[in-house]
Amino acid sequence: MNVTSLCLCYLTRTSDTGPEVLLGLKKTGFGAGKIVGLGGHVEPGESPAQATVREVEEESGIRVDPTCLRELGVVTFRFPTRPAWDAVVSVFGADRFSGRAVESDEIIPEWFPFDDLPLTKMWDDARLWLPRVLAGEYVTAEISFAADCETVAEARFSEQAA
Ligand SMILES: Nc1ncnc2c1[nH]c(=O)n2[C@H]1C[C@H](O)[C@@H](COP(=O)(O)OP(=O)(O)OP(=O)(O)O)O1
C-alpha cells in the first residue's frame, strides 16, 4: 500500500520583537484542536511543492510563489496501531509571500514567536523537530507513535542533507 504523502509549510517573518512563524488552530479533520503548520495532502499529479502552494492559500489566503519555497526536511510518521495513518511529510518554509493570513474553514492562523512556540498544543513530535527546522537545520526524521496515536514512542533522526 502507498504511504500517504502530505506537506507542511512554515511561513516566517521578522516582527519588531523577533522572528515569527505562522501556525494555526486546526478546526476540522485529522488533528482537529491542535495547533499545526499549514499543509495537507499531496493530491495525485501534484508535486509536494505544488501541494504546499495550494494548501497554504486554501488554509490561510496567503499566496506563495513555488520558487520561494525552501525544502526544510522530510518527516515520516508511523502509527503502529493505525497504519492507515502512516504518512511521509515534505516540509517547506518561505519568508516571501503575499497577502495577510485569514481564517479558513480548516484553520485559524496565528503568528508565534520562535522563542514562544505553542509546543504543548501541537502534535507531540513537533517539540522534537520544529525548533530545529526554524533554526535552519534540514531534518530527516522517522517518528513512531505509541498505541494512543498521540504520544511519540520513538524518534530517529538521520544526518541526510537536502
Ligand atoms: N504528527 C504530526 N506532526 C505535525 N504535523 C502533522 C502530523 N501529522 C500530520 O498529519 N501533520 C500535518 C501534515 C499535514 O499538513 C496535516 C494533515 O493534513 P490534512 O489536514 O488531513 O489534509 P488536508 O488535505 O488539509 O485535508 P483534506 O481536505 O484532505 O481532508 O497535518
Side-chain angles (χ1 to χ4, degrees):
M1 195 177 80
N2 287 339
V3 175
T4 301
S5 180
L6 300 172
C7 62
L8 267 175
C9 187
Y10 296 108
L11 299 179
T12 57
R13 72 180 183 185
T14 303
S15 77
D16 292 346
T17 52
E20 297 179 332
V21 59
L22 186 64
L23 304 172
L25 177 65
K26 188 104 182 326
K27 294 161 68 177
T28 57
F30 196 62
K34 297 185 196 304
I35 295 184
V36 298
L38 304 177
H41 287 81
V42 179
E43 302 294 349
E46 279 184 326
S47 66
Q50 289 169 331
T52 298
V53 169
R54 176 182 53 73
E55 288 282 354
V56 167
E57 183 161 12
E58 284 176 7
E59 293 188 347
S60 72
I62 287 180
R63 287 176 302 284
V64 187
D65 189 287
T67 60
C68 295
L69 290 175
R70 276 176 292 113
E71 293 181 30
L72 302 182
V74 176
V75 182
T76 301
F77 295 117
R78 303 237 176 251
F79 296 88
T81 58
R82 297 288 293 267
W85 290 3
D86 288 359
V88 176
V89 184
S90 301
V91 185
F92 293 90
D95 57 11
R96 291 173 57 205
F97 45 83
S98 59
R100 196 174 58 84
V102 291
E103 180 174 347
S104 63
D105 290 346
E106 284 186 71
I107 293 274
I108 302 172
E110 185 175 347
W111 291 95
F112 290 91
F114 282 16
D115 61 5
D116 192 20
L117 298 172
L119 295 172
T120 58
K121 297 177 182 166
M122 301 183 75
W123 282 95
D124 188 36
D125 55 274
R127 63 189 164 83
L128 301 173
W129 60 272
L130 178 55
R132 292 168 66 161
V133 297
L134 294 178
E137 185 182 341
Y138 184 92
V139 168
T140 306
E142 182 159 332
I143 311 281
S144 294
F145 283 85
D148 63 3
C149 295
E150 287 286 342
T151 316
V152 172
E154 186 181 6
R156 286 194 218 159
F157 290 84
S158 60
E159 298 305 315
Q160 191 182 324

